[in-house]
Amino acid sequence: MNQLIESLPAAARASLLALCEPVALTLAQVLTEAGAVTRYVYFPTASFVSLIAELDARHRVEVGMAGREGMVGMQLALGHKHDPLGAIVQGAGLALRVRATAFQKELVRSAALRNRLLHYVAVLMNQRANAAACLRYHEIGPRLSRWLLMSQDRAAVDAFPVTQEFLAAMLGVRRVGITGAAGDLQRRGLIRYHRGQLTVLDRAGLEAAACSCYATDRQTYSHLMER
């Protein structure tokens, strides 16, 4: 189950679930383009999504992820009908989908849902500010380790598909930088990468290799969402 939905009081949870339809998300599926009118919101249950900031057709970078801890389409809670970010499925699997119009009506009706999502907005604001600082000041190796940990948290498995081209785009670096950083992690026995399949071999070692942003993001989520 999606953790945001689970955290709602029973009546609010049942009311929202009545609007949801289960959908299977496929790898690399584009859920929305930046600037497009929001048609659906998604609550991943066994999938995860990269949230992408796009400067132009050639320059884009990941600024967040949404897995079972969150949702895609958060801007509707703030009254905005257009997606500020692109959303691409990074981990295939199931999600719950709600039409944007129905979700907006539910936001008006349910104070509990509005309150819960405002907490989540605070989480996203903190995490995206952290992502901007991380992109500017942290080296590729620790950032890659952080990204892999974030992906493993949401995939809930040790192995998942990913290409070096995708990693380079998500981290905003050249592919040669990813090749070098991934090679270093592999030589240290922390990961194995073969034919587009990445396996985390040493979770504790990868946490030690990651930049401090990984732990900061987890602490921010726990602090703000457990109120």
Side-chain angles (χ1 to χ4, degrees):
M1 172 61 74
N2 179 275
Q3 293 173 13
L4 266 182
I5 296 178
E6 273 192 320
S7 69
L8 292 170
R13 181 169 64 249
S15 181
L16 179 58
L17 285 172
L19 303 174
C20 294
E21 60 174 333
V23 292
L25 305 182
T26 58
L27 185 65
Q29 178 182 352
V30 177
L31 299 184
T32 185
E33 300 278 2
V37 174
T38 305
R39 297 177 58 234
Y40 296 98
V41 299
Y42 295 86
F43 294 92
T45 56
S47 59
F48 57 109
V49 178
S50 288
L51 304 174
I52 313 297
E54 301 178 15
L55 293 180
D56 53 48
R58 295 178 56 251
H59 299 93
R60 60 179 187 167
V61 66
E62 182 184 84
V63 295
M65 285 187 195
R68 62 185 180 275
E69 85 295 339
M71 64 175 290
V72 178
M74 187 66 241
Q75 69 281 353
L76 289 179
L78 301 176
H80 297 288
K81 296 182 179 181
H82 292 79
D83 290 297
L85 303 171
I88 302 174
V89 177
Q90 179 186 313
L94 298 177
L96 296 174
R97 184 175 74 175
V98 185
R99 288 189 178 276
T101 51
F103 185 71
Q104 287 172 303
K105 291 178 182 177
E106 187 67 10
L107 280 170
V108 172
R109 193 201 65 79
S110 175
L113 177 60
R114 292 196 306 274
N115 181 64
R116 184 86 304 220
L117 294 189
L118 286 177
H119 283 278
Y120 185 55
V121 167
V123 169
L124 294 183
M125 290 175 63
N126 279 272
Q127 289 181 347
R128 288 174 187 171
N130 197 36
C134 182
L135 180 65
R136 173 64 179 83
Y137 291 110
H138 289 159
E139 296 181 355
I140 297 174
R143 288 174 54 212
L144 175 60
S145 299
R146 173 200 181 204
W147 190 95
L148 295 175
L149 289 166
M150 291 169 62
S151 296
Q152 188 188 26
D153 287 345
R154 291 160 175 83
V157 293
D158 291 337
F160 43 88
V162 65
T163 66
Q164 290 192 7
E165 291 86 352
F166 184 80
L167 285 171
M170 294 304 95
L171 296 179
V173 299
R174 296 171 59 195
R175 180 178 172 179
V176 65
I178 294 296
T179 301
D184 178 62
L185 294 178
Q186 192 155 234
R187 285 189 294 273
R188 292 161 63 184
L190 305 183
I191 66 170
R192 180 173 62 246
Y193 184 75
H194 183 65
R195 294 185 177 180
Q197 187 79 0
L198 190 142
T199 304
V200 175
L201 301 176
D202 183 350
R203 169 81 188 197
L206 201 59
E207 288 184 8
C211 61
S212 59
C213 300
Y214 175 69
T216 298
D217 281 351
R218 289 175 63 90
Q219 291 166 3
T220 296
Y221 187 91
S222 297
H223 174 67
L224 293 173
M225 295 303 292
E226 292 178 2
R227 289 181 176 179

